[in-house]
Amino acid sequence: MDCWVAQLGVVTRDHTEISRSITLRTDKQGRVSLAASEVLRNREISPFILNMGNNGALSNSGTFRTQPDDVRALVDVHLAEARRRWGLDKGVVDVCIYAHGGLVGENKAAEIAAQWIPMLYERQIFPVFLMWETDFFSTLLNLIADAIKEVPRSALRPQGLVERAPGAAGGPTRHAPVGRDEAERRCDERLPRRRA
């Protein structure tokens, strides 16, 4: 008996380069190179995205899925490789935790992440992108699910928690939410690209 196996698609140079890279691909000047294909681009940035579902639980559905092992890999593999590449094995690493705002679905959040993750990485700022699917339809379904499960309304509104937590613990409060344009301006002015 004969058995034939076929695989759709053609392996491209991007496929090969991505499969050989432990983390984001960069050139000798440290510029990040993302694939032009949306599917491959998403594959490259996905390790830096923590995708959350209803009430902040890690999401196991959609294009971007985050499991506890993915969070460990972000720190143990990708952060370690960034430290090595940037010559910061013993030094301090700047980390940016980016949380998108507004009613944003997974596809739009992926576009935002594809802009921010490379920009931060090129400036030797380790990116962590919080993707919380907040488009109108997902939000409506989550509210209905919470109502059915009788989740207290206070659990639905965590705003202010991040801002209050450091001060409540006696630490300094340095969190200052800013709009996208202001964040880009600050990133360009205060954090110029570092040279290795």
Side-chain angles (χ1 to χ4, degrees):
M1 177 189 298
D2 287 344
C3 178
W4 293 87
V5 178
Q7 179 180 357
L8 297 177
V10 177
V11 176
T12 65
R13 185 175 58 171
D14 277 345
H15 283 91
T16 305
E17 289 177 5
I18 292 168
S19 70
R20 290 181 181 153
S21 181
I22 192 168
T23 192
L24 290 174
R25 297 174 296 140
T26 57
D27 63 16
K28 291 179 182 179
Q29 288 77 37
R31 289 186 300 258
V32 173
S33 172
L34 292 180
S37 158
E38 181 180 323
V39 171
L40 292 178
R41 177 205 72 190
N42 289 349
R43 160 71 178 83
E44 289 187 276
I45 63 174
S46 66
F48 299 90
I49 295 174
L50 300 181
N51 191 17
M52 296 173 289
N54 194 16
N55 296 322
L58 295 179
S59 176
N60 61 359
S61 64
T63 302
F64 296 90
R65 302 167 186 210
T66 303
Q67 300 299 314
D69 284 340
D70 298 321
V71 179
R72 282 188 280 277
L74 179 63
V75 175
D76 295 343
V77 176
H78 297 281
L79 179 58
E81 178 62 14
R83 292 176 69 93
R84 186 195 66 74
R85 285 182 181 184
W86 301 337
L88 298 172
D89 291 327
K90 305 279 187 218
V92 175
V93 174
D94 292 325
V95 175
C96 176
I97 300 174
Y98 185 100
H100 67 79
L103 295 176
V104 179
E106 188 177 49
N107 291 336
K108 182 61 178 171
E111 291 175 19
I112 296 167
Q115 294 171 8
W116 279 92
I117 290 170
M119 182 187 68
L120 293 166
Y121 199 90
E122 288 172 359
R123 289 169 173 78
Q124 296 184 0
I125 303 169
F126 190 77
V128 178
F129 189 90
L130 303 181
M131 181 183 283
W132 195 327
E133 296 171 34
T134 57
D135 59 284
F136 178 76
F137 188 67
S138 296
T139 301
L140 183 61
L141 288 177
N142 288 337
L143 288 171
I144 292 168
D146 288 342
I148 292 168
K149 294 177 188 173
E150 297 181 4
V151 174
R153 291 199 51 77
S154 62
L156 304 177
R157 301 196 178 277
Q159 292 92 343
L161 180 63
V162 173
E163 291 88 346
R164 289 191 310 266
T173 54
R174 295 181 46 189
H175 174 71
V178 295
R180 181 184 179 124
D181 292 339
E182 177 64 11
E184 285 181 358
R185 185 189 67 74
R186 287 183 186 183
C187 198
D188 288 340
E189 289 178 3
R190 296 166 124 191
L191 301 167
R193 179 191 305 262
R194 296 182 190 170
R195 299 286 179 214

